[in-house]
Amino acid sequence: MLTYPHDTPPEHGTLREVAPGIHWLQMPLPMALDHINLYMLEDDDGWWIVDSGMALGPTEELWEKIFAQHLGGKPIKAVIATHWHPDHTGMAGWLCDRWRVPFYATQGEYLTGLVYTRAAPEHFGWTNEQHQIRSGRGEEGVAASRKSMGGAGRITRPLPTSYQRLEEGSRFTINGQRWRVVVGSGHSPEHACLYCESLNVLISGDQVIPRITSNISVSGIEPEGNPLREWLQSHERFLEVLPDDALVLPAHNLPFYGLHHRLRHLIEHHEDHLIALEEACLQASCTAVELLPVLFKRELDDNQIGLALGECVAHLNYLLHRGQIARTVDSEGCYRYRSVDDTLPMRLRKRNHEADVEVPFQV
């Protein structure tokens, strides 16, 4: 069971202290998921910013308001990114340049961010095209994917030209409190969560969110990737290395208690999707596009189809790597999947699988 110590978020342009020296703020996002939670950690001689918001709309103006009204005469001294996605790093370069401060990130996130934010439609290659066709989306998917190539760069200020590397187990002291980096993967390559044992606080980014599930996708850049395996392994490890009673400060929704309950729910959610896909491929070979209704109930628009398809392929690749489904190429160049594991009838759950009511979010 999850409990929430706050019923509402802080107003834009304001800070709310949620633990000693830890301040919560929100920035708007121009999408169905209309906000991101950011955090500022007060040190003796300045402030550390964790994640930065998207480079769109009033974000810069809101940052300037915070600087003018809430710093108490102390400067910004560092910017940390949990991961590379534009709502988390969109303003990181601007912040670092404005205050001339270092940028902290894992190597996987920093380098991936450089690749994606500098991509352009002309970088859309034959492998990206083939990935869309293999998934069953055809020329329509190819055109939509080509158009979206380079989108991250349009909502991200140029990333800092240098960084200080965070790794699993990296430690630093802020306001006399020791913080430790706990790395998760799957949603992004090397996502940095921050845990303070003395305060029992976890800044979880997108790795653990209370009310939505982070998108776990395969794209044309790594079409044979297995991010769902990394995601599930990360959550299993978090159950071992992080306490259940920590205050979790996520990147979206509200801060909450009940970390282990949420981790187990997320694991079960994906395991349920996996067995539902196996069952759907038992009677006939299916393409990834044909399998979307197994995972998502609602009709999907073009942007949502891209996210949903990436999620579906991530689950199919996981099953493929486990040897529970097989894959062939049909006459139109599409991958078709069929179940091959003889133990499936014994593993099928007694209750019926329910596809997600919510559409996939880009978080």
Side-chain angles (χ1 to χ4, degrees), residues 6 16-24 40 199-201 247 249:
H6 301 272
R16 180 184 299 171
E17 191 169 24
V18 292
I22 303 175
H23 299 258
W24 171 28
M40 294 181 64
L199 297 174
N200 201 19
V201 170
L247 171 62
L249 304 180

Side-chain angles (χ1 to χ4, degrees), residues 54-55 84-87 89-92 117 151-159:
M54 193 177 286
W84 77 266
H85 291 168
D87 51 334
T89 62
M91 297 294 287
T117 58
R154 293 191 287 270
I155 50 179
T156 305
R157 297 285 182 89
L159 289 175

Side-chain angles (χ1 to χ4, degrees), residues 170-192:
S170 293
R171 296 176 185 270
F172 43 91
T173 300
I174 300 175
N175 197 30
Q177 309 289 347
R178 293 284 284 170
W179 290 82
R180 171 168 57 94
V181 174
V182 184
V183 170
S185 299
H187 176 62
S188 62
E190 196 181 357
H191 185 298

Side-chain angles (χ1 to χ4, degrees), residues 5 29 31 36 40 57 70 105 118 126 150 154-155 175 179 214 246 299 302 308-309 321 323 328:
L29 296 177
M31 56 187 71
I36 180 171
M40 294 181 64
H70 297 286
R118 297 183 181 189
W126 68 267
R154 293 191 287 270
I155 50 179
N175 197 30
W179 290 82
S214 299
E299 186 174 347
D302 286 343
L309 191 60
H321 281 273
T328 57

Side-chain angles (χ1 to χ4, degrees), residues 10-237:
E11 294 184 4
H12 293 164
T14 67
L15 302 181
R16 180 184 299 171
E17 191 169 24
V18 292
I22 303 175
H23 299 258
W24 171 28
L25 62 146
Q26 277 198 349
M27 292 291 180
L29 296 177
M31 56 187 71
L33 184 63
D34 62 2
H35 70 278
I36 180 171
N37 298 325
L38 313 175
Y39 300 95
M40 294 181 64
L41 312 180
E42 187 173 7
D43 209 344
D44 295 335
D45 57 350
W47 296 81
W48 296 62
I49 293 174
V50 181
D51 290 336
S52 63
M54 193 177 286
L56 279 177
T59 309
E60 181 177 336
E61 179 183 343
L62 289 170
W63 271 122
E64 292 292 0
K65 180 180 178 181
I66 288 168
F67 298 154
Q69 298 180 8
H70 297 286
L71 297 189
K74 297 180 181 180
I76 302 301
K77 61 183 296 185
V79 176
I80 300 173
T82 58
H83 61 298
W84 77 266
H85 291 168
D87 51 334
H88 297 260
T89 62
M91 297 294 287
W94 175 79
L95 287 167
C96 290
D97 286 347
R98 188 194 184 288
W99 292 95
R100 299 182 70 85
V101 296
F103 178 59
Y104 289 79
T106 63
Q107 185 177 69
E109 299 299 332
Y110 180 68
L111 296 180
T112 302
L114 288 178
V115 170
Y116 275 94
T117 58
R118 297 183 181 189
E122 56 265 29
H123 297 137
F124 187 88
W126 68 267
T127 54
N128 303 89
E129 180 177 341
Q130 184 182 68
H131 176 66
Q132 293 295 319
I133 293 172
R134 289 281 196 255
S135 300
R137 201 174 174 199
E139 293 302 323
E140 179 183 353
V142 171
S145 184
R146 186 188 305 275
K147 183 179 179 180
S148 68
M149 179 71 78
R154 293 191 287 270
I155 50 179
T156 305
R157 297 285 182 89
L159 289 175
T161 54
S162 68
Y163 78 111
Q164 295 193 27
R165 189 189 302 186
L166 299 177
E167 299 175 302
E168 172 68 33
S170 293
R171 296 176 185 270
F172 43 91
T173 300
I174 300 175
N175 197 30
Q177 309 289 347
R178 293 284 284 170
W179 290 82
R180 171 168 57 94
V181 174
V182 184
V183 170
S185 299
H187 176 62
S188 62
E190 196 181 357
H191 185 298
C193 300
L194 308 176
Y195 177 64
C196 179
E197 184 174 1
S198 58
L199 297 174
N200 201 19
V201 170
L202 174 71
I203 299 178
S204 64
D206 283 351
Q207 196 70 26
V208 190
I209 303 173
R211 293 177 180 170
I212 58 176
T213 57
S214 299
N215 184 247
I216 312 299
S217 274
V218 167
S219 73
I221 289 181
E222 191 186 0
E224 300 298 330
N226 193 2
L228 184 56
R229 179 183 62 190
E230 298 172 9
W231 176 259
L232 294 173
Q233 289 175 345
S234 293
H235 281 56
E236 293 284 1
R237 189 171 62 85

